[in-house]
Amino acid sequence: MSKYKSEPATISCAREVVYSKLSDVGTMRALVDKLPDEARAKMQGVEFGADTITFEVAPVGKMQIKLTEAVAPEKIVYSAVLSPVPFGFEILLSDGGDGTTQAVAALDIDIPLFLRPMVEGKLKEACAQFAKLFTVLPFESL
């Protein structure tokens, strides 16, 4: 398995609040609904179940992740249920002081060695984009 991580992103909200929202798939739906139009447009086709999130990835097709681990208030893990390759997506939260949270998005994925050079940059960028997304989510308004 290869692991890719974002740089820490600062969220202007207390860690306990961030954790409670990101560890509840139902609340995540409401968070997405409150995103700015541009960000919400990128989330088209995302479906939220009780503990799963289903989405389309070109050219792979439909993929699904499931909440598999939640360690309050510091770690949330979603694992692939429907995917051509096994992977886990972790959200690591730490106290940033002054009511803020430091969040790191991490992807632990099983990619064949010969494919890694072709996808490594995209996977690092995906982690960075998730971390950036966390900074604009309206955690306090839910």
Side-chain angles (χ1 to χ4, degrees):
M1 295 281 253
S2 298
K3 191 157 203 162
Y4 303 94
K5 288 184 178 182
S6 71
E7 294 295 321
T10 301
I11 301 170
S12 298
C13 187
R15 178 169 68 160
E16 291 75 15
V17 174
V18 173
Y19 173 85
S20 71
K21 305 304 183 191
L22 293 179
S23 62
D24 179 354
V25 176
T27 302
M28 289 179 69
R29 171 79 214 109
L31 285 169
V32 169
D33 288 342
K34 292 187 176 212
L35 286 173
D37 290 340
E38 181 181 318
R40 199 170 53 248
K42 294 178 183 178
M43 303 287 289
Q44 294 299 318
V46 177
E47 300 170 14
F48 295 86
D51 63 352
T52 61
I53 303 170
T54 307
F55 50 95
E56 293 278 336
V57 176
V60 176
K62 190 172 276 196
M63 296 179 69
Q64 186 177 71
I65 57 175
K66 180 178 183 170
L67 178 64
T68 55
E69 183 180 355
V71 180
E74 57 198 40
K75 182 179 179 182
I76 304 161
V77 179
Y78 288 90
S79 298
V81 175
L82 179 61
S83 170
V85 295
F87 73 91
F89 178 70
E90 297 179 6
I91 304 166
L92 307 169
L93 305 172
S94 60
D95 188 0
D98 296 326
T100 65
T101 301
Q102 292 290 306
V104 172
L107 184 63
D108 198 6
I109 187 164
D110 189 12
I111 298 176
L113 186 60
F114 67 93
L115 290 177
R116 286 182 195 160
M118 292 183 271
V119 298
E120 189 171 79
K122 295 278 187 194
L123 296 174
K124 287 179 181 177
E125 179 62 24
C127 288
Q129 290 297 322
F130 270 107
K132 183 178 178 184
L133 175 64
F134 297 150
T135 67
V136 299
L137 291 173
F139 292 104
E140 291 285 355
S141 65
L142 293 176

